[in-house]
């Protein structure tokens, strides 16, 4: 059983967590902590950011945080210590950074059905598996 688990989810895609959430709850020890993270991607190129208003990023992060908090309240059973974390940047980088910062025992994440170009694992899951310093449990979607 794991003491601390990181569960990355995509709020817009239930397949990112419909199978990985039950697995994470099964692996979580009786006094364990579940860290639920969701990543709001950045704009990428600076030129793209100029098309949005000054407060867009701040408002988007705030709304994203509210949605993640609601997701945790709705989907995590009572009695489980769960902490939502909004991350901002490149998905796999932010997941790896959060795992390090939080000192988690294992990352439990879903992986979509692969296309030919990313056969076996999706690109984010594959990068997390290759670079994580902790165990990674990938649940096939």
């Amino acid at each position: 059983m794991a003491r601390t688990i990181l569960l990355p989810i995509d709020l817009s895609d239930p397949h990112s967590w419909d199978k990985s959430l039950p697995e994470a709850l099964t692996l979580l020890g009786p006094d364990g902590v579940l860290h639920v993270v969701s990543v709001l991607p950045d704009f990428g190129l600076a030129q793209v950011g100029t098309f949005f208003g000054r407060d867009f990023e701040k408002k988007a992060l705030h709304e994203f945080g509210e949605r993640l908090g609601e997701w945790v309240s709705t989907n995590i059973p009572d009695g489980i210590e769960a902490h939502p974390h909004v991350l901002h940047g490149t998905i796999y980088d932010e997941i790896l950074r959060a795992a390090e910062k939080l000192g988690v025992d294992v990352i439990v994440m879903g992986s979509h059905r692969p296309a030919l170009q990313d056969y076996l694992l999706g690109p984010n899951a594959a990068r997390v598996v290759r670079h994580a310093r902790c165990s990674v449990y990938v649940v096939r979607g």
Side-chain angles (χ1 to χ4, degrees):
M1 300 199 118
R3 194 173 35 82
T4 57
I5 293 177
L6 184 73
L7 177 69
I9 66 165
D10 179 346
L11 289 170
S12 65
D13 183 10
H15 295 298
S16 72
W17 55 267
D18 63 350
K19 290 189 170 66
S20 59
L21 173 59
E23 292 296 327
L25 295 174
T26 299
L27 291 172
L28 193 61
D31 294 324
V33 178
L34 180 65
H35 294 280
V36 181
V37 300
S38 195
V39 182
L40 182 65
D42 60 14
F43 295 127
L45 299 172
Q47 297 90 332
V48 175
T50 62
F51 288 98
F52 296 93
R54 283 182 167 218
D55 291 353
F56 178 81
E57 188 172 52
K58 183 178 177 181
K59 288 177 184 177
L61 286 166
H62 178 75
E63 182 181 320
F64 198 68
E66 288 182 352
R67 287 181 48 220
L68 182 58
E70 290 170 9
W71 185 94
V72 167
S73 295
T74 302
N75 293 284
I76 304 299
D78 291 337
I80 301 289
E81 184 178 347
H83 301 281
H85 303 273
V86 171
L87 309 176
H88 183 56
T90 305
I91 294 170
Y92 59 88
D93 281 336
E94 293 302 318
I95 292 170
L96 292 167
R97 189 172 293 123
E100 281 288 312
K101 182 178 179 184
L102 296 167
V104 300
D105 299 320
V106 63
I107 300 168
V108 178
M109 64 187 302
S111 179
H112 64 78
R113 294 204 185 274
L116 187 58
Q117 68 269 22
D118 53 27
Y119 199 72
L120 296 180
L121 289 176
N124 289 311
R127 287 181 174 131
V128 170
V129 167
R130 277 195 305 269
H131 299 289
R133 294 186 179 166
C134 63
S135 297
V136 180
Y137 180 1
V138 179
V139 181
R140 179 68 68 195

